[in-house]
């Protein structure tokens, strides 16, 4: 379930996660207290934005929505690309949608925001001076990215054609899950949850962050004004829980085995 930082930069692999919230200062306070992140200014072309650092290494980005934009607050998974413009065209030709870009983010890179045929939103990142997350798998950093959708078979061909993923289905009759590989390395997953998918939300990409102690992190989330959507439980990969920050952006925390 873990992907190394170098693996995350291969074309198609999740390479960055970013959050747009209504209050940048409150968001920084929440994640700084939860994960120990420090923040430095990032590209400002699209409004106030900061990069989060863990021990001096970039791990994520947080930005502020315009005051007149009352959009749902959610983490966005960015997939690496050698050519954002070509990837955007491939998304369109395979039945997806490109809603933003491609466009430059200062000299850091070129980006776009798209969605798959079922509506799950994701980003594209062509790194230049900033290649993406510099650390993965350590406490406070992203460790996994997973598409939550109705049925894996509906969207798997889209991601395979656009990004060159090598899908591998989990051999279980009652568990609809596909692991996506690049050059033999697992980089992401697709989880089909059927009717359990909230109708008011639709399919979405979920970011997993590593923590040293899931139960302690859940208590801290509550103290900081977040909520627990799924309480701590053990899995084959470690103890995990799904929570939200103070503005409702959901993410999963996991204490790896």
């Amino acid at each position: 379930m873990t992907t190394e930082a170098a693996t995350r930069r291969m074309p198609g692999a999740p390479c960055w996660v970013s959050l747009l919230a209504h209050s940048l200062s409150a968001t920084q306070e929440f994640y700084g207290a939860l994960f120990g992140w420090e923040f430095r200014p990032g590209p400002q072309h699209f409004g106030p934005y900061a990069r989060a650092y863990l021990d001096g290494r970039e791990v994520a980005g947080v930005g502020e929505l315009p005051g007149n934009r009352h959009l749902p607050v959610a983490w966005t998974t960015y997939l690496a690309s050698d050519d954002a413009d070509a990837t955007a065209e491939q998304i369109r030709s395979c039945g997806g949608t490109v809603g933003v870009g491609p466009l430059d983010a200062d000299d850091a890179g070129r980006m776009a925001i798209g969605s798959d045929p079922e509506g799950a939103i994701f980003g594209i990142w062509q790194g230049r001076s900033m290649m993406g997350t510099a650390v993965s798998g350590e406490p406070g950093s992203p460790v996994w990215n997973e598409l939550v959708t109705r049925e894996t078979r509906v969207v798997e061909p889209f991601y395979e054609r656009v990004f060159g993923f090598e899908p591998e289905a989990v051999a279980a009759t009652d568990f609809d899950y596909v692991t996506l590989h690049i050059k033999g390395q697992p980089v992401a997953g697709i989880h089909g949850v059927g009717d359990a998918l909230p109708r008011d939300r639709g399919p979405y990409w979920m970011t997993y962050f590593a923590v040293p102690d899931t139960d302690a992190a859940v208590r801290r989330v509550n103290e900081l004004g977040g909520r627990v959507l799924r309480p701590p439980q053990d899995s084959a990969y470690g103890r995990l829980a799904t929570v939200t920050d103070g503005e409702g952006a959901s993410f999963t925390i996991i204490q790896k085995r």
Side-chain angles (χ1 to χ4, degrees):
M1 192 173 186
T2 302
T3 54
E4 297 298 330
T7 301
R8 293 169 66 89
R9 295 192 181 110
M10 293 191 300
C15 63
W16 186 247
V17 291
S18 187
L19 173 67
L20 289 180
H22 296 294
S23 172
L24 181 58
S25 60
T27 299
Q28 290 175 327
E29 289 178 11
F30 179 92
Y31 290 99
L34 181 62
F35 293 138
W37 290 352
E38 298 177 345
F39 297 89
R40 303 174 193 171
Q44 305 292 308
H45 283 332
F46 319 116
Y49 192 82
R51 292 177 185 153
Y53 289 76
L54 187 67
D55 297 328
R57 295 173 292 178
E58 292 167 315
V59 290
V62 295
E64 188 167 86
L65 288 164
N68 60 350
R69 299 292 298 276
H70 301 289
L71 300 173
V73 177
W75 281 97
T76 299
T77 296
Y78 282 74
L79 307 177
S81 172
D82 285 339
D83 187 331
D85 294 81
T87 301
E89 285 303 313
Q90 187 72 355
I91 289 170
R92 295 187 186 101
S93 68
C94 292
T97 301
V98 178
V100 176
L103 41 80
D104 291 327
D106 291 343
D107 64 347
R110 192 161 173 80
M111 55 82 68
I113 301 293
S115 60
D116 66 27
E118 292 296 292
I121 295 172
F122 57 90
I124 298 299
W125 182 251
Q126 179 187 348
R128 291 172 183 158
S129 63
M130 199 284 287
M131 298 305 295
T133 301
V135 55
S136 175
E138 296 181 13
S141 71
V143 67
W144 189 246
N145 293 268
E146 184 175 281
L147 171 62
V148 181
T149 190
R150 287 182 177 83
E151 294 182 79
T152 60
R153 65 177 181 83
V154 175
V155 294
E156 175 197 311
F158 169 83
Y159 289 97
E160 186 175 357
R161 290 197 299 268
V162 174
F163 298 105
F165 289 129
E166 305 151 5
E168 181 179 311
V170 171
T173 57
D174 59 345
F175 189 55
D176 185 14
Y177 197 95
V178 172
T179 303
L180 302 174
H181 295 73
I182 294 178
K183 296 181 180 179
Q185 297 294 318
V187 296
I190 305 178
H191 188 189
V193 298
D195 293 337
L197 187 72
R199 293 185 178 275
D200 60 346
R201 180 174 187 182
Y204 60 94
W205 278 86
M206 171 69 73
T207 300
Y208 286 64
F209 293 99
V211 293
D213 185 324
T214 296
D215 295 83
V218 164
R219 290 192 294 270
R220 189 64 173 139
V221 165
N222 281 321
E223 293 170 357
L224 295 169
R227 294 189 300 120
V228 179
L229 300 181
R230 185 174 299 173
Q233 58 184 346
D234 292 323
S235 75
Y237 301 100
R239 189 162 175 79
L240 50 80
T242 300
V243 299
T244 76
D245 62 22
E247 291 198 16
S250 63
F251 57 98
T252 296
I253 50 179
I254 180 167
Q255 175 186 346
K256 298 187 299 177
R257 291 188 181 280

